[in-house]
Amino acid sequence: MRKFGGGFTLIEVLVAMAITAVIAVLAYVSLSTVIVGVDSVRAEAEKINTMNRAFQIFSRDIRQVVDRPILDEFGGMESGLEGGPLARQMLALTRAGWHNSVDLPRSTLQRVAYYLEEDRLIRASWSVLDRSGSSEPREVTLLKGVESFDLLFLDEISALRINRDIDLDRRLWLENWLADVSQPNATIKLPAALIIRLEISDWGEIERLYVLPPL
């Protein structure tokens, strides 16, 4: 008897194509999930790096603070450090250590300020200490998605107490650090410590305690 060569039927070909398509879809879904996971991890890492950089800048400025009052663009006196909801900026201070690698005719002291603009935490800096009407700040966005920016100030370091639960006792802390506005050109000394509290979307509340260098 004559033998005919074997081959695939149409049903077998369709089944093979269906299996291949299912495997391809599963592979695509798995690869897509991995890519999305990597992108999510990368985005979170970038957020963490940005937040850490912002607090590093906070730390650098606060740890180099000096009690050098300045004149603002309206001729008014501002203390070496002042802040709170009643202040012009949420936090403003004079810091040392402004490097002058090209030997420009300027001081190594610098006036900086922090404040919220919509949901952005801004750091402003001026090229001169005692400003004029033409003095414009250089503004840099440190963080986005900031819902609130609050400060607390402590007058004396001896008042810094921690209870058994490692929670700071805030009864002696002040929300504003300002000179007596009833006294012309009055200034206030540097606080002993301050707390910075940021409310960041997707992160919640982040708080840092800074003890200022002794005078």
Side-chain angles (χ1 to χ4, degrees):
M1 296 179 64
R2 183 181 295 176
K3 292 178 121 183
F4 294 95
F8 295 105
T9 66
L10 178 60
I11 294 177
E12 289 173 333
V13 171
L14 293 175
V15 170
M17 291 176 63
I19 293 174
T20 302
V22 170
I23 293 174
V25 169
L26 293 176
Y28 173 79
V29 171
S30 299
L31 180 60
S32 177
T33 301
V34 171
I35 292 174
V36 170
V38 170
D39 289 342
S40 177
V41 171
R42 183 181 294 114
E44 290 300 312
E46 289 177 356
K47 287 182 181 178
I48 292 173
N49 289 336
T50 301
M51 184 176 61
N52 288 338
R53 182 175 61 87
F55 278 104
Q56 287 173 358
I57 294 173
F58 266 126
S59 299
R60 181 195 63 193
D61 288 345
I62 293 172
R63 288 170 181 165
Q64 297 186 96
V65 65
V66 294
D67 192 11
R68 201 293 196 177
I70 62 105
L71 291 175
D72 64 20
E73 57 270 30
F74 305 107
M77 186 74 70
E78 292 185 4
S79 303
L81 183 149
E82 59 184 40
L86 299 180
R88 288 185 60 192
Q89 288 97 15
M90 198 62 186
L91 177 64
L93 59 91
T94 305
R95 60 170 290 249
W98 186 21
H99 296 297
N100 191 0
S101 57
V102 295
D103 198 25
L104 295 175
R106 64 164 174 81
S107 171
T108 56
L109 303 180
Q110 185 182 37
R111 189 68 173 186
V112 300
Y114 294 86
Y115 47 86
L116 274 186
E117 190 171 279
E118 296 179 350
D119 68 338
R120 298 181 300 133
L121 177 64
I122 305 292
R123 180 186 185 267
S125 60
W126 286 264
S127 59
V128 295
L129 291 176
D130 298 319
R131 304 193 291 266
S132 64
S134 61
S135 300
E136 293 292 335
R138 177 177 179 267
E139 296 181 332
V140 177
T141 298
L142 297 183
L143 285 174
K144 295 181 179 179
V146 181
E147 298 176 355
S148 65
F149 174 28
D150 300 301
L151 295 165
L152 290 173
F153 303 91
L154 189 65
D155 185 26
E156 298 290 344
I157 197 64
S158 59
L160 183 60
R161 301 190 185 97
I162 300 178
N163 62 26
R164 292 180 300 175
D165 297 325
I166 318 300
D167 291 328
L168 291 170
D169 186 350
R170 289 173 168 76
R171 288 174 294 180
L172 298 177
W173 293 73
L174 304 172
E175 292 185 352
N176 292 283
W177 192 260
L178 292 169
D180 185 357
V181 295
S182 66
Q183 302 295 325
N185 294 326
T187 59
I188 189 171
K189 65 177 184 177
L190 299 179
L194 63 88
I195 291 174
I196 294 175
R197 186 189 302 124
L198 297 176
E199 183 78 22
I200 304 175
S201 58
D202 300 330
W203 282 85
E205 185 177 287
I206 300 174
E207 185 175 282
R208 293 288 186 275
L209 166 65
Y210 296 96
V211 177
L212 274 66
L215 297 177

